[in-house]
Amino acid sequence: MTPGGPGSDAPGPAAQQPAGPLERRGADRSPGADLRSPGPPWAGRKVVLGVCAGIAAYKAVQVARDLTLLGAAVDVVLTESARKFVAPLSFEGVTGRGPLTDIFAAGGAALHISLARGADCVCIAPATADFIARAAAGRASDLLTTVLVATDAPVVIAPAMNDRMFAHPRTAANLALLEDGLGHHRVGPADGRLAAGEGSGPGRMAEPSDIVDAVGRAVGAGGPLSGARVLVTASGTREPVDAVRYLGNRSSGKMGYALARAAWLNGAEVTLVSGPSAVDPPCGVDLVGVETAWEMHEAVMDRVGTADVAIHAAAVADYRPRSPLPDKMKREAIGDETAIDLVANPDIAAESAGKMRAGSVAVGFALETDDLLARAERKLEAKGFDLIVANRAGEPGSGFEADTNRVTILARGEPPRELPVMAKFAVAWEILKVIEARLGRGGAG
Ligand code: PMT
């Protein structure tokens, strides 16, 4: 096989070498930059990205780019008509590998076989109604359908079409056959604006970040947390003072959302109980939105008895106003000073640890400004956790709101595991390794 040829790892002659970690290049410090740093579960994987003829084909360039920057070797296969929507050169520019279309190209006699055999995942984005129909019929009428018939790799399908085409009973039946009959993984379509003049409805292709995660989950199928039920709490709670004000804290939800995303990528069925957050919910996760500590308490208690893992990353208000006012407090009625009478909220983590079944793992967080490890150790014991993740408030790049965190993991009967400052997603990945080891499912050594 030639360097950079389909199925090989090495970039071809036209390659712009895929970037190393963006942090090292210093090129991208935007929130979520960690999404595009090489790492698990995409690094070193071979992905065939099939692109069909739909207006969403332009978004497939972003999928190809993100997968490449995450360390995957991406071979793009365009259908003949897809080339009318997006130029092959765009894909070559972001993957460093020339896209493929022609099953009968010179020297390409066994191209479909080498692509199909070498792939860790075949992802079709966008998948049009016509492509879905041909795939469901088992056709092998062009390079992409032929690869699909010849591969044993997991397949991810991202449908994109007009809402009426998506609602057509034939399309629904074809998709059901691909999903239920062949075990393909579907991502989307989303409900939103369609092509110009078409209004909105279900049919819009899933966002590139969700497609990238669906590929990550598919290549990790059968991963260490496969089938495990993971419950994660995230973000801060809001405790009403009156009709417009609340007591809250600075938790953004980033740490908890990163944990939920990493658990889903590892194969888990994830429920994320979250206070208000501006972070996009991770793909595939069951999001339960709450506002107050009592609402979070109820949502957690309803689910924790069936969880294999509970991770309490939320910053729960320890106290709430005893009697929130139904209307807005008026400054002219209060004057210059007032006091709010507070009453303790339930300790969700401590209460739920006792409700978990044998063999499950309870994980807490400790956020402290001082005496971090000693306080974390006390919380580990007092709240009945199996492990606790200690992080500091007020340290740059750590704790609240930051995209990174510096944590120490304390597990019962083990020496503390101190991690350097890392992206919250990378921190989440490391925490999950420790959890997996506790569950006896591989993980940290
Ligand atoms: O959301 P980010 O901006 O990304 O920030 C992440 C974080 C700093 C919020 C997160 O890393 C973190 O440390 N979360 C726990 C914050 C906290 O409330 O720590 P604590 O030491 O006060 O609580 C100890 C544990 O008990 C925590 O697991 C907490 O979820 C839980 N708890 C606390 C009080 C309460 N009434 N019920 C609880 O369940």
Side-chain angles (χ1 to χ4, degrees), residues 250-255 312-318 346-349 364-368 379 383 385 391 399-401 405 424:
R250 289 170 48 202
S251 173
S252 63
K254 286 177 185 173
M255 190 65 244
H312 301 273
V316 185
D318 279 316
D347 190 321
I348 300 169
F365 270 73
L367 179 72
E368 306 289 350
K379 284 180 183 171
K383 301 200 185 211
F385 296 133
N391 52 185
F400 284 139
E401 294 173 319
N405 206 357
K424 279 184 172 163

Side-chain angles (χ1 to χ4, degrees), residues 111-427:
L111 187 58
H112 57 296
I113 302 297
S114 62
L115 281 169
R117 284 224 185 116
D120 292 304
C121 179
V122 177
C123 172
I124 317 292
T128 56
D130 175 65
F131 180 83
I132 289 165
R134 288 192 291 134
R139 297 282 305 275
S141 48
D142 62 6
L143 182 57
L144 190 52
T145 45
T146 312
V147 168
L148 209 53
V149 174
T151 194
D152 289 331
V155 176
V156 171
I157 300 261
M161 63 197 75
N162 174 274
D163 56 340
R164 275 157 292 172
M165 293 170 78
F166 181 65
H168 194 285
R170 282 303 322 163
T171 306
N174 290 335
L175 269 172
L177 199 148
L178 294 182
E179 283 186 85
D180 306 334
L182 299 177
H184 294 356
H185 308 270
R186 175 155 73 94
V187 51
D191 198 336
R193 281 197 80 78
L194 301 165
E198 286 302 316
S200 63
R204 180 188 161 88
M205 190 171 83
E207 289 307 314
S209 57
D210 285 347
I211 297 171
V212 165
D213 276 10
V215 169
R217 164 112 168 170
V219 295
L225 286 180
S226 193
R229 290 189 192 177
V230 175
L231 178 66
V232 182
T233 69
S235 198
T237 59
R238 290 180 179 177
E239 311 299 328
V241 172
D242 66 10
V244 298
R245 301 178 179 90
Y246 60 83
L247 297 181
N249 60 65
R250 289 170 48 202
S251 173
S252 63
K254 286 177 185 173
M255 190 65 244
Y257 281 48
L259 282 155
R261 177 173 168 234
W264 188 75
L265 287 166
N266 269 291
E269 302 308 319
V270 182
T271 303
L272 174 60
V273 177
S274 174
S277 170
V279 181
D280 285 337
C283 177
V285 159
D286 180 21
L287 178 70
V288 181
V290 298
E291 197 155 321
T292 64
W294 264 112
E295 287 170 15
M296 185 171 280
H297 175 269
E298 198 180 330
V300 170
M301 293 309 147
D302 281 353
R303 293 164 178 83
V304 77
T306 55
D308 299 294
V309 178
I311 309 176
H312 301 273
V316 185
D318 279 316
Y319 296 92
R320 67 179 184 280
R322 185 188 295 277
S323 311
L325 297 174
D327 301 318
K328 187 182 174 198
M329 286 193 315
K330 311 284 186 304
R331 184 168 177 156
E332 58 273 22
I334 292 171
D336 285 347
E337 276 184 36
T338 187
I340 300 173
D341 189 15
L342 299 178
V343 58
N345 271 327
D347 190 321
I348 300 169
E351 201 177 319
S352 65
K355 291 198 162 23
M356 293 188 71
R357 57 188 186 202
S360 58
V361 174
V363 182
F365 270 73
L367 179 72
E368 306 289 350
T369 48
D370 49 74
D371 211 6
L372 178 64
L373 294 190
R375 284 175 180 275
E377 247 165 48
R378 287 204 288 275
K379 284 180 183 171
L380 175 74
E381 292 299 328
K383 301 200 185 211
F385 296 133
D386 296 288
L387 52 111
I388 194 160
V389 181
N391 52 185
R392 241 173 246 285
E395 181 182 282
S398 186
F400 284 139
E401 294 173 319
D403 290 323
T404 54
N405 206 357
R406 187 164 77 88
V407 307
T408 302
I409 304 173
L410 303 171
R412 281 171 191 268
E414 287 176 29
R417 193 184 298 244
E418 200 179 332
L419 301 179
V421 177
M422 297 193 290
K424 279 184 172 163
F425 177 68
V427 172

